[in-house]
Amino acid sequence: MIHVLFVCLGNICRSPMAEAVLRHKVKEKGLHQLIQVDSAGTGDWHVGKPPHEGTRNLLDSYRISYANMAARQFESADFSQFNYIICMDDSNAANVRNVPGGEEAELIKLMDLLPDETLREVPDPYYTGNFEEVYRLVDAGCDALLERIEKEHSLVELR
Ligand code: 4NP
């Protein structure tokens, strides 16, 4: 089983969108028994809350489920439970590094999966209001991540 964790600041806009989008793709590919997806925020303000209305509307428009999703805070134990920790921006990565156990952890920035994009961070729609922009980046980033996972893990492990 491969475990993927998306991380942003509040865990109500970007990382839950990425969680829902990747889970949707994983299910479509029939890999849901093999790849497990979660998300967390480095802040604790929204713990227990469903995704932001903007993320919910966006996901509704693409018919992607966000059922049973609730915000939680990133914690030390996540370092040992997840194979891939994907941060939305530089400050998320810095915040994760500051959690005990994070100094040496391997972190991936979502935009590092998309080297041809000019943007190097996923803009925060909590401030920009642009949830479509996040979807475009997250959708492409999830495709790139799945390709990377399929390359890094043998088919025997994945199937
Ligand atoms: P997110 O957006 O990190 O993409 O979930 C934010 C949500 C809430 C806050 C900041 C960013 N906030 O300050 O409450």
Side-chain angles (χ1 to χ4, degrees):
M1 190 91 176
I2 311 289
H3 300 269
V4 177
L5 182 68
F6 292 103
V7 179
C8 64
L9 178 57
N11 194 212
I12 52 171
C13 298
R14 292 166 295 175
S15 63
M17 191 191 296
E19 176 187 345
V21 166
L22 183 61
R23 185 177 295 121
H24 186 80
K25 288 179 186 294
V26 160
K27 217 168 177 183
E28 276 185 343
K29 285 176 166 262
L31 295 173
H32 50 288
Q33 311 278 23
L34 306 160
I35 301 177
Q36 184 253 334
V37 192
D38 194 5
S39 68
T42 59
D44 67 356
W45 313 286
H46 303 286
V47 168
K49 288 198 201 145
H52 187 285
E53 185 181 18
T55 287
R56 284 187 273 126
N57 289 340
L58 184 292
L59 292 171
D60 283 338
S61 76
Y62 288 96
R63 301 185 183 282
I64 294 173
S65 173
Y66 48 87
N68 305 315
M69 284 175 53
R72 73 169 178 91
Q73 189 172 23
F74 183 89
E75 58 189 19
S76 285
D78 292 324
F79 290 121
S80 55
Q81 312 218 319
F82 290 90
N83 306 85
Y84 296 89
I85 298 177
I86 320 279
C87 299
M88 295 292 148
D89 64 32
D90 294 341
S91 98
N92 305 148
N95 290 336
V96 167
R97 287 245 173 270
N98 281 331
V99 172
E103 309 80 15
E104 305 287 319
E106 191 205 336
L107 304 179
I108 299 170
K109 279 203 311 167
L110 188 108
M111 296 311 298
D112 289 343
L113 298 164
L114 301 173
D116 295 339
E117 287 282 347
T118 312
L119 280 169
R120 301 317 310 150
E121 304 183 273
V122 181
D124 194 338
Y126 191 74
Y127 304 109
T128 68
N130 193 343
F131 289 84
E132 277 291 346
E133 172 182 59
V134 177
Y135 177 74
R136 186 179 70 78
L137 300 172
V138 153
D139 181 60
C142 286
D143 286 341
L145 178 64
L146 282 176
E147 267 184 40
R148 176 166 164 174
I149 291 174
E150 284 169 3
K151 262 192 207 135
E152 290 180 352
H153 298 271
S154 70
L155 287 179
V156 175
E157 194 181 344
L158 283 180
R159 293 186 190 280

